[in-house]
Amino acid sequence: MTSVLYDAQGPRAKRRNILYSALFLVAFAALLWWVITSLNDKDQLAWEKWKPFVHGEAWSTYLWPGLQNTLKAAALSMVIALPLGAFFGIARLSDHAWIRIPAAAIVEFFRAIPVLVLMIFADAAYSTYSNISSDDRPLYAVFTGLVLYNSSVLAEIVRAGILSLPKGQSEAAMAVGLRKNQVMRFILLPQAVTAMLPAIVSQLVVIVKDTALGGAVLTFPELLASVGPMSAYYGANTIASFTVVALIYIALNFSLTSFASWLEGRLRRGKKSTGVVLAPAAVGGTESTGAGGAGGGAVGGGVGGGRLGPPPGPAAPRRPRRGPVDRVRGGGLSQERPPSWRVRDRVRGPRSR
């Protein structure tokens, strides 16, 4: 028995996979036991190391201000990078070379530079050519670098999502008289958004995590940068501080991906059409489209003559069709011969009657 992607496993392969899974679980349990034992020997699991995170002082002084700065930088970057990436992605699909070539050059340029280098350049540019205070400059440098890099990546995601659609979608839309901008707005983009939503969400998660680069280099007081002073204040509980910050990042990114999954499911359910059956009276009251002539039809001449007749009665039972042999032998409407006789007549000539 085979599948589309792989051959079905036999009895020996199943036993071998069960053995490999059991060995992996044993090795993972041994590694976890070694890690826990090592941390316990160095008093990293003592209650004194974890007690500050139960009270509100560590959250109000270190964690919550850092989380606010992280969310602020990530939100500003998302709000600016998403429309900018969509603009450059659509511009790369333009038929005009004077739009397509500069858009491609900008996207490829900023996509090739590391985001940390863009943050450093932005910080130097703001300190030289602007009057932004030194307290706010790291925030501006962080979200500028994130916008420049991630908008170029999102532009490629948008372009790939539109190109993944069948070409017949745009051809059919142009065949009914839609212009190119109408095809893009009403036909291509609504379908491409659902297809490229997982990739967009993955890039948004990258934006949230890349805010930590500003804290490591530009002294931006984000969430990860709060580990140093918090660990020093509470007696060198570095592992506990990093663990709590990692759990906060996991919860934040999991919430973002869960919301995106819910939104994707809602978009897919919204595109399913509900087949509504119109009553004969609703069809009969429509204006004539030139297809009815003067006839009454099944709806009392509604489409052709524009009048609404009485509701049709029960339909008469349909008479079963007769084949050529039945028409000959049964003496029906015509005395035609079956197709086999016609072929024989062409080869041998007509039979004498």
Side-chain angles (χ1 to χ4, degrees):
M1 183 177 180
T2 59
S3 178
V4 177
L5 301 178
Y6 57 88
D7 295 335
Q9 298 177 354
R12 295 179 59 184
K14 290 181 179 179
R15 289 195 298 267
R16 187 166 56 248
N17 291 336
I18 292 174
L19 178 62
Y20 291 159
S21 301
L23 291 177
F24 173 77
L25 290 177
V26 171
F28 180 76
L31 178 63
L32 184 62
W33 175 257
W34 175 78
V35 170
I36 293 175
T37 305
S38 300
L39 292 176
N40 191 26
D41 293 340
K42 296 181 180 181
D43 294 332
Q44 293 296 327
L45 300 180
W47 175 246
E48 289 77 12
K49 299 288 185 181
W50 301 87
K51 184 178 180 180
F53 303 105
V54 179
H55 303 287
E57 183 182 1
W59 292 90
S60 60
T61 307
Y62 300 102
L63 293 175
W64 178 242
L67 180 59
Q68 282 183 323
N69 291 327
T70 296
L71 294 177
K72 186 187 301 183
L76 288 173
S77 303
M78 292 176 190
V79 169
I80 300 176
L82 280 174
L84 197 61
F87 172 78
F88 280 106
I90 296 173
R92 290 203 63 181
L93 298 174
S94 176
D95 295 335
H96 304 286
W98 61 275
I99 297 177
R100 183 178 64 253
I101 294 177
I106 293 173
V107 168
E108 294 298 333
F109 177 78
F110 287 110
R111 196 163 64 109
I113 301 177
V115 63
L116 182 58
V117 177
L118 292 175
M119 290 180 184
I120 296 174
F121 271 111
D123 184 67
Y126 284 132
S127 63
T128 305
Y129 301 106
S130 68
N131 297 324
I132 300 175
S133 63
S134 59
D135 295 334
D136 297 333
R137 192 186 307 147
L139 173 62
Y140 282 84
V142 166
F143 87 79
T144 300
L146 291 176
V147 165
L148 293 177
Y149 177 77
N150 290 282
S151 61
S152 60
V153 177
L154 289 171
E156 288 298 299
I157 293 175
V158 171
R159 186 176 72 92
I162 294 174
L163 291 179
S164 66
L165 297 176
K167 195 176 181 180
Q169 298 281 341
S170 57
E171 292 177 350
M174 291 181 181
V176 298
L178 294 181
R179 295 188 294 271
K180 290 182 180 179
N181 60 347
Q182 293 176 327
V183 173
M184 183 63 67
R185 287 187 289 118
F186 301 130
I187 305 298
L188 298 180
L189 277 181
Q191 300 181 70
V193 165
T194 307
M196 61 189 176
L197 193 58
I200 292 176
V201 173
S202 300
Q203 198 61 33
L204 297 182
V205 171
V206 170
I207 291 176
V208 174
K209 294 188 294 184
D210 282 348
T211 55
L213 296 174
V217 178
L218 303 177
T219 65
F220 177 56
E222 44 84 34
L223 180 60
L224 189 60
S226 63
V227 172
M230 182 171 55
S231 175
Y233 181 77
Y234 289 110
N237 59 347
T238 307
I239 294 179
S241 301
F242 274 115
T243 303
V244 171
V245 169
L247 291 176
I248 294 175
Y249 273 112
I250 291 172
L252 187 62
N253 293 326
F254 180 75
S255 302
L256 185 60
T257 52
S258 300
F259 172 74
S261 300
W262 171 80
L263 182 61
E264 182 182 2
R266 178 163 183 166
L267 289 176
R268 291 186 184 278
R269 289 192 301 268
K271 290 182 180 180
K272 294 181 180 180
S273 61
T274 57
V276 180
V277 180
L278 296 179
V283 179
T286 56
E287 295 180 357
S288 175
T289 57
V299 196
V303 176
R307 294 177 302 158
L308 182 62
R318 296 185 62 182
R319 186 176 180 180
R321 279 188 173 183
R322 285 184 164 188
V325 179
D326 295 335
R327 287 198 291 266
V328 173
R329 296 179 181 177
L333 299 177
S334 61
Q335 297 294 329
E336 294 182 1
R337 290 177 295 178
S340 59
W341 293 1
R342 298 175 185 173
V343 174
R344 188 176 61 187
D345 288 348
R346 294 193 189 101
V347 178
R348 301 181 180 178
R351 294 190 307 169
S352 58
R353 300 183 182 277

